[in-house]
């Protein structure tokens, strides 16, 4: 064999008890799992290389069910932000906004819209237009070798609406809806695993339920799932969850709830209500899963906080409205008094909005401070500061939003359909710590330190369960015949290195990560291996 990992404590991704075993790898797949004592008298497997795993746990590679590495995978061959965490597969195309399918017009618009997530993309050759071409580009990666980790893609419903409808806040016509159905069908045939929405982001939020239901029917026909960032995580959170459950039940489409949190003061302590809603739906036959990150603050763009009416027409229309004094005052009143839909129906609290990144280096002094702190320093109102930032940085600022509740985080991660997702935005001077720390944070803080989950449960949440949602028949378990996407970590020391003060510090206690049997992390260091590829939907 190519490699034998000897005397590992195997946590196999099923949730069952761990066991000691030798694991053999040949040609990128697991060929042997020889449990200790299971074959007394048999020769131990031999290989060209033997790795002594004494004291280490061996698990399947972690699957990040909510990633924003759409351009990072093409920009950074190292990509240690994820590889060093033990992530071997990321699901991208999230929140209804990404870079395929597009035409020339919508590519320019989406690049501007999510500059805060992925940067402007001036360093990227956008030679693709379709989903299939984008996946081919990921396969090619760097000089034809590949990318740092594997990637699966969700068709972004907001981008699809840009193509077919534009930025108008109105129902789609029958002709436009049919075009969207074709675009989604094309993307599914080309290998997407499902469809995402950002229903607090324009223009995806302008879609009515009937339109979303029709698109979900198409997704279901091809064996995919729907992953909505739904219409409210604040004042209307429970109603928004109910809406998604009902919509997908009508469409006959599996549902995966993105970053399923209960945030803002109105939802403190209300996670049990969400979980009861999900349990009732599951008992009635619904196919539901969810992902969360193990932190309380959220992360998005500052422009996302605006009311939807202020975003109609796209990025240039937003900037025009912000420049007009009377319109800007209407925006302020909506955000600070009424509660904008962009801020989940809750009046914005500027002392919870921390600037985490800007596009223009001249504005770097705002990073690391809340909008209110910067405003106080400048002797002006918080809205004046926020408005100037949006204009001067051309909608580029990213933010941390400190509105979460620890008891909700812990309750939701215990649920039987829970999976892990970083929601990690990698851009900015001070990104969210979750981008570099989500998976070791689960293993270190919530398993070892707090005991919220057992080690076996947690690994299943991060491996076997998401692989099942993605319908991957040969990933997510330590099992003979499966791909050798594997992580070796020390349960006694694994921990997130990233903090909110130093968010790009790499984790500790994860010395080895393999993709297709090749070491991408070896002795705690990133190798030059580019074993990642696009993981396409498995046909029914």
């Amino acid at each position: 064999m190519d490699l034998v990992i000897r005397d590992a404590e195997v946590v196999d991704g099923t949730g069952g008890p761990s066991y000691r075993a030798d694991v053999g790898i040949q040609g990128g797949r697991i060929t042997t799992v020889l449990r200790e004592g299971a074959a007394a008298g048999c020769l131990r497997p031999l290989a060209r290389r033997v790795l002594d795993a004494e004291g280490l746990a061996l698990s399947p590679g972690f699957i990040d069910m909510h990633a924003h590495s759409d351009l990072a995978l093409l920009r950074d061959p190292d990509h240690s932000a994820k590889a060093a965490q033990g992530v071997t597969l990321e699901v991208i195309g999230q929140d209804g906004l990404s870079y395929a399918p597009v035409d020339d017009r919508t590519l320019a618009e989406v690049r501007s819209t999510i500059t805060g997530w992925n940067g402007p993309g001036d360093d990227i050759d956008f030679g693709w237009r379709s989903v299939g071409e984008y996946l081919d580009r990921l396969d090619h990666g760097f000089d034809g070798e590949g990318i740092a980790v594997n990637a699966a893609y969700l068709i972004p419903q907001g981008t699809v609406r840009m193509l077919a409808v534009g930025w108008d806040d109105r129902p789609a016509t029958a002709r436009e809806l049919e075009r969207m159905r074709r675009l989604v069908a094309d993307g599914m045939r080309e290998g997407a695993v499902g469809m995402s929405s950002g229903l607090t982001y324009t223009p995806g939020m302008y879609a009515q339920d009937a339109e979303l239901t029709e698109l979900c029917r198409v997704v279901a026909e091809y064996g995919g799932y729907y992953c909505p960032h739904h219409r409210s995580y604040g004042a209307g959170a429970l109603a928004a969850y109910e809406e998604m459950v009902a919509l997908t039940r009508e469409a006959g489409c599996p549902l995966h709830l993105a970053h399923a949190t209960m945030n803002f003061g109105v939802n403190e302590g209300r996670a049990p209500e969400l979980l009861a809603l999900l349990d009732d739906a599951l008992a009635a036959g619904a196919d539901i899963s969810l992902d969360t990150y193990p932190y309380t603050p959220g992360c998005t763009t500052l422009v996302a906080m605006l009311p939807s009416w202020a975003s109609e027409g796209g990025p240039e229309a937003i900037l025009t409205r912000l420049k007009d004094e009377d319109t800007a005052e209407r925006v302020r009143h909506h955000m600070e008094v009424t509660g904008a839909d962009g801020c989940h129906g809750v009046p914005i609290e500027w002392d919870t909005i921390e600037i985490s990144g800007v596009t223009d280096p001249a504005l770097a002094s705002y990073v690391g401070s809340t909008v209110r702190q910067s405003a106080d320093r400048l002797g002006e109102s918080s809205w004046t500061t926020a408005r100037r930032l949006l204009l001067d940085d051309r909608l580029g600022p990213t933010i941390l939003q400190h509105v979460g509740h620890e008891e909700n985080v812990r309750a939701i991660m215990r649920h039987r359909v829970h999976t892990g997702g970083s929601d990690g935005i990698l851009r900015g001077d001070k990104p969210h710590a979750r981008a570099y720390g989500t998976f070791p944070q689960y293993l270190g803080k919530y398993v070892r330190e707090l005991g919220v989950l057992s080690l076996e449960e947690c690994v299943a949440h991060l491996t076997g369960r998401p692989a099942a949602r993605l319908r991957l028949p040969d990933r997510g378990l330590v099992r003979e015949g499966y791909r050798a996407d594997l992580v070796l970590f020390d349960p006694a020391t694994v921990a997130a290195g990233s903090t909110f003060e130093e968010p790009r510090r790499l984790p500790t206690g994860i010395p080895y990560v393999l993709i297709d049997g090749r070491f991408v992390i070896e002795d705690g260091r990133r190798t030059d291996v580019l074993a990642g590829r696009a993981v396409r939907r498995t046909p029914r």
Side-chain angles (χ1 to χ4, degrees):
M1 283 179 275
D2 298 327
L3 172 69
V4 167
I5 301 170
R6 188 154 285 169
D7 294 324
E9 189 65 25
V10 175
V11 188
D12 66 7
T14 65
S18 64
Y19 53 87
R20 195 174 177 89
D22 294 348
V23 176
I25 297 167
Q26 173 70 30
R29 292 189 179 269
I30 300 168
T31 56
T32 303
V33 179
L34 184 64
R35 297 193 186 212
E36 184 179 56
C42 291
L43 291 174
R44 302 182 80 176
L46 301 176
R48 284 183 284 276
R49 176 176 178 181
V50 175
L51 176 62
D52 182 3
E54 182 69 37
L56 298 177
L58 175 67
S59 81
F62 305 135
I63 298 176
D64 188 342
M65 287 295 285
H66 193 103
H68 287 283
S69 302
D70 305 48
L71 298 186
L73 285 165
L74 297 174
R75 174 183 290 125
D76 178 16
D78 182 84
H79 201 48
S80 285
K82 295 303 179 67
Q85 292 186 61
V87 172
T88 58
L89 171 60
E90 298 184 272
V91 185
I92 56 178
Q94 299 285 351
D95 294 330
L97 291 166
S98 190
Y99 305 93
V102 291
D103 58 14
D104 292 349
R105 172 185 63 84
T106 53
L107 175 60
E109 291 172 346
V110 78
R111 285 178 63 182
S112 177
T113 299
I114 52 176
T115 289
W117 292 358
N118 298 308
D122 295 338
D123 54 340
I124 301 295
D125 176 11
F126 289 93
W128 67 84
R129 291 296 180 268
S130 70
V131 170
E133 289 169 347
Y134 175 61
L135 297 179
D136 289 344
R137 179 70 180 85
L138 292 173
D139 278 338
H140 180 269
F142 296 89
D143 298 325
E145 290 189 56
I147 50 180
V149 304
N150 295 309
Y153 189 70
L154 294 167
I155 301 163
Q157 170 259 329
T159 304
V160 167
R161 202 171 207 270
M162 273 186 227
L163 270 168
V165 182
W167 290 81
D168 296 341
D169 182 2
R170 62 170 175 79
T173 66
R175 185 173 181 177
E176 289 165 343
L177 180 56
E178 183 54 35
R179 186 182 180 200
M180 286 189 281
R181 285 176 54 87
R182 288 198 305 271
L183 288 166
V184 172
D186 289 345
M188 294 299 297
R189 281 193 295 268
E190 291 163 8
V193 295
M195 182 180 74
S196 74
S197 283
L199 300 179
T200 64
Y201 300 135
T202 53
M205 69 188 306
Y206 299 143
Q208 297 179 352
D209 283 2
E211 176 182 318
L212 296 172
T213 299
E214 286 304 306
L215 299 183
C216 283
R217 291 189 203 280
V218 177
V219 172
E221 288 173 11
Y222 289 91
Y225 68 93
Y226 181 43
C227 179
H229 164 129
H230 51 271
R231 297 191 193 275
S232 176
Y233 290 82
L238 283 175
Y241 282 114
E242 289 173 352
E243 176 191 11
M244 294 298 101
V245 170
L247 186 155
T248 49
R249 287 297 299 276
E250 182 177 347
C253 184
L255 171 64
H256 181 84
L257 295 165
H259 38 58
T261 56
M262 292 287 285
N263 288 339
F264 302 91
V266 294
N267 290 317
E268 186 171 3
R270 297 187 69 190
E273 297 176 56
L274 166 61
L275 300 180
L277 166 67
L278 298 182
D279 285 337
D280 288 346
L282 290 163
D287 183 355
I288 301 173
S289 55
L290 59 87
D291 66 68
T292 69
Y293 46 84
Y295 298 88
T296 52
C299 179
T300 186
T301 56
L302 183 58
V303 67
M305 299 290 101
L306 300 182
S308 57
W309 61 262
S311 298
E312 187 175 3
E316 293 303 320
I318 297 171
L319 292 167
T320 298
R321 291 187 181 99
L322 289 173
K323 290 174 185 175
D324 180 77
E325 293 295 335
D326 290 341
T327 307
E329 173 56 23
R330 284 182 59 211
V331 173
R332 182 205 66 79
H333 187 271
H334 220 103
M335 295 178 71
E336 295 186 346
V337 180
T338 307
D341 46 6
C343 194
H344 307 277
V346 177
I348 197 163
E349 298 175 336
W350 293 112
D351 56 354
T352 69
I353 306 296
E354 178 184 353
I355 303 300
S356 60
V358 291
T359 302
D360 184 350
L363 302 171
S365 61
Y366 290 94
V367 174
S369 297
T370 67
V371 172
R372 177 162 292 176
Q373 287 171 335
S374 292
D376 289 347
R377 186 168 62 246
L378 294 167
E380 61 190 18
S381 72
S382 295
W383 169 242
T384 299
T385 300
R387 177 189 175 196
R388 184 173 58 252
L389 262 174
L390 287 166
L391 287 169
D392 290 353
D393 206 35
R394 293 190 60 79
L395 314 181
T398 53
I399 63 171
L400 302 182
Q401 193 169 18
H402 297 273
V403 293
H405 307 286
E406 179 67 21
E407 72 277 18
N408 285 348
V409 170
R410 296 189 194 188
I412 294 169
M413 75 169 62
R414 291 189 186 102
H415 198 270
R416 67 185 188 280
V417 301
H418 170 266
T419 68
S422 70
D423 195 13
I425 294 174
L426 301 171
R427 301 287 291 181
D429 296 317
K430 193 183 177 189
H432 197 299
R434 69 194 184 193
Y436 284 72
T438 286
F439 295 86
Q441 179 84 338
Y442 270 118
L443 296 167
K445 180 176 179 178
Y446 288 95
V447 171
R448 184 180 64 247
E449 295 177 12
L450 299 177
V452 175
L453 295 169
S454 71
L455 180 61
E456 291 86 351
E457 287 175 318
C458 186
V459 168
H461 288 215
L462 307 181
T463 61
R465 188 174 298 161
R469 165 52 74 216
L470 294 167
R471 298 181 64 242
L472 302 177
D474 59 355
R475 300 178 195 264
L477 300 176
V478 179
R479 183 170 290 175
E480 291 178 2
Y482 274 53
R483 290 183 180 272
D485 294 354
L486 300 167
V487 181
L488 279 156
F489 63 91
D490 184 350
T493 63
V494 62
S498 61
T499 64
F500 287 104
E501 291 71 33
E502 297 183 77
R504 286 193 169 89
R505 285 175 53 191
L506 297 180
T508 57
I510 306 179
Y512 300 99
V513 181
L514 298 92
I515 296 178
D516 268 2
R518 301 167 66 192
F519 287 95
V520 296
I521 300 291
E522 187 170 10
D523 295 323
R525 293 185 175 88
R526 178 72 171 94
T527 70
D528 61 0
V529 168
L530 294 167
R533 299 291 186 273
V535 175
R536 290 166 170 82
R537 178 187 56 83
T538 303
R540 285 184 182 274

